[in-house]
Amino acid sequence: MSEFHVCSLIVYVVAEQLESIKKTIESLPVAEVPILGESGKLVVVLEGEQKNDIVGHFDYIKQLPGVLDTTLVYHQMEEQSELKEA
């Protein structure tokens, strides 16, 4: 059985770089930025089948120039067979 992971992050960025960081994050195939605040906060959702992929993207986002901090808010893992039954 394979896994499916969903997590959300709050990403604090330099306000002047908000749009460029948003575009960089959204260029990742597993990322979405559904909410952004003008004060330099982004809500980022990551989805994927491998925990290591999610962790790798989290680490990538943390190291982007202009990112001040990242906080993991939510993480859920489901077995793929459970998803098909629902």
Side-chain angles (χ1 to χ4, degrees):
M1 277 189 251
S2 60
E3 302 172 345
F4 185 77
H5 296 263
V6 176
C7 71
S8 63
L9 323 167
I10 301 292
V11 180
Y12 300 91
V13 304
V14 174
E16 295 78 22
Q17 295 179 282
L18 184 69
E19 283 297 325
S20 65
I21 292 171
K22 176 184 181 277
K23 288 179 185 175
T24 300
I25 292 171
E26 287 185 327
S27 72
L28 299 170
V30 299
E32 178 186 351
V33 181
I35 301 172
L36 66 129
E38 293 179 17
S39 62
K41 291 184 206 174
L42 302 168
V43 173
V44 177
V45 177
L46 299 175
E47 298 179 343
E49 294 181 4
Q50 300 293 321
K51 176 181 156 188
N52 291 341
D53 292 342
I54 297 295
V55 171
H57 286 98
F58 181 85
D59 290 340
Y60 171 78
I61 291 168
K62 282 193 326 190
Q63 296 175 17
L64 289 172
V67 171
L68 304 171
D69 196 15
T70 55
T71 302
L72 178 66
V73 177
Y74 175 81
H75 175 249
Q76 182 171 346
M77 185 273 300
E78 296 285 339
E79 295 291 333
Q80 287 287 25
S81 64
E82 291 177 22
L83 292 175
K84 291 177 184 175
E85 293 171 8

